[in-house]
């Protein structure tokens, strides 16, 4: 970075240059990225093997309790695969160049509702948007990922047979003050 220097009467007298060596930081970031990909790849492969054997056991075992245990192993494996996919999606979004753009909240929440309705047909997703014009400036991919994960989590972790999730948004100013 460069900073001009001047005397008390504001006449230029020189400048100061500061150099930063980013090689180690970039190398560490690349290493973490490779490690992340390898870990996700290996996790996916190993869980696929575990799920395959669990499903085979579930089909072939005669003891109902053992079949149930095999099904539990398979479900746990599927949850791990889902987590791996979410990490991959998060990683992809992190690498994107982010430019805030106008996002219509009603449209975004409707898309999330549609996406989750297929997996949770008994669920109700209510919305209350108190944002002037119903629009915010943000990165749409990040907002959608956050909304899907929040609503999906609420629907997954309830014991209600017909759950209701309420998505509420309000305009806020600096430090959470209402705008």
């Amino acid at each position: 970075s460069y900073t001009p220097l001047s005397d008390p009467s504001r006449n230029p007298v020189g400048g100061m240059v500061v150099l930063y060596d980013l090689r180690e930081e970039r190398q560490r970031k690349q290493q973490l990225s490779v490690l992340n990909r390898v870990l996700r790849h290996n996790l996916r492969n190993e869980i696929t093997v575990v799920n395959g054997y669990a499903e085979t056991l579930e089909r072939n075992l005669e003891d109902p309790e053992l079949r149930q245990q095999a099904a539990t192993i398979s479900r746990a494996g599927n949850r791990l695969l889902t987590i791996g996919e979410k990490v991959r999606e998060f990683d992809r979004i992190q690498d994107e160049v982010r430019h805030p753009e106008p996002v219509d909240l009603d449209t975004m929440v409707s898309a999330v509702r549609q996406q989750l309705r297929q997996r949770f047909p008994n669920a109700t997703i209510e919305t209350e948007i108190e944002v002037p014009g119903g629009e915010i400036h943000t990165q749409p991919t990040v907002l959608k990922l956050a909304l899907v994960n929040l609503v999906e989590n609420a629907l997954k972790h309830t014991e209600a047979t017909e759950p209701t999730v309420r998505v509420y948004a309000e305009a806020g100013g600096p430090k959470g003050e209402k705008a």
Side-chain angles (χ1 to χ4, degrees):
S1 66
Y2 175 78
T3 304
L5 299 175
S6 56
D7 63 17
S9 52
R10 299 188 190 261
N11 295 319
V13 294
M16 181 173 61
V17 175
V18 178
L19 302 174
Y20 302 94
D21 185 355
L22 302 175
R23 287 178 294 182
E24 284 184 28
E25 183 180 332
R26 286 183 181 153
Q27 183 178 13
R28 180 168 163 71
K29 187 175 180 178
Q30 286 175 335
Q31 288 171 339
L32 285 173
S33 178
V34 168
L35 180 62
N36 190 357
R37 281 194 307 273
V38 167
L39 180 62
R40 282 194 330 262
H41 173 77
N42 289 349
L43 176 68
R44 184 174 49 248
N45 288 346
E46 296 300 321
I47 292 298
T48 300
V49 170
V50 169
N51 278 352
Y53 281 114
E55 289 167 7
T56 299
L57 286 171
E58 187 179 358
R59 282 192 308 272
N60 295 319
L61 288 170
E62 291 185 22
D63 182 335
E65 186 176 329
L66 292 175
R67 273 199 315 267
Q68 181 60 37
Q69 290 173 356
T72 300
I73 292 169
S74 183
R75 284 192 304 275
N78 287 330
R79 285 191 301 271
L80 286 172
L81 286 174
T82 299
I83 290 169
E85 287 302 311
K86 287 181 180 181
V87 169
R88 184 177 64 78
E89 179 69 8
F90 179 76
D91 220 23
R92 184 187 64 76
I93 288 173
Q94 287 289 94
D95 290 339
E96 284 182 3
V97 175
R98 286 179 219 98
H99 299 288
E101 58 187 79
V103 175
D104 182 277
L105 287 175
D106 284 323
T107 303
M108 176 69 70
V109 173
S110 292
V112 169
R113 183 186 296 123
Q114 245 349 71
Q115 181 177 340
L116 293 174
R117 185 170 282 148
Q118 297 167 358
R119 291 186 38 221
F120 302 95
N122 294 333
T124 301
I125 301 172
E126 299 174 349
T127 61
E128 187 176 342
I129 310 292
E130 294 184 6
V131 176
E135 190 176 87
I136 62 171
H137 280 72
T138 189
Q139 212 292 328
T141 310
V142 173
L143 177 61
K144 185 172 184 184
L145 181 65
L147 283 173
V148 166
N149 279 287
L150 286 171
V151 174
E152 180 182 55
N153 237 7
L155 294 172
K156 274 185 181 178
H157 299 289
T158 182
E159 294 181 15
T161 55
E162 295 185 11
T164 298
V165 173
R166 184 168 169 249
V167 177
Y168 174 78
E170 73 176 32
K175 298 183 184 174
E177 299 170 8
K178 284 201 170 198

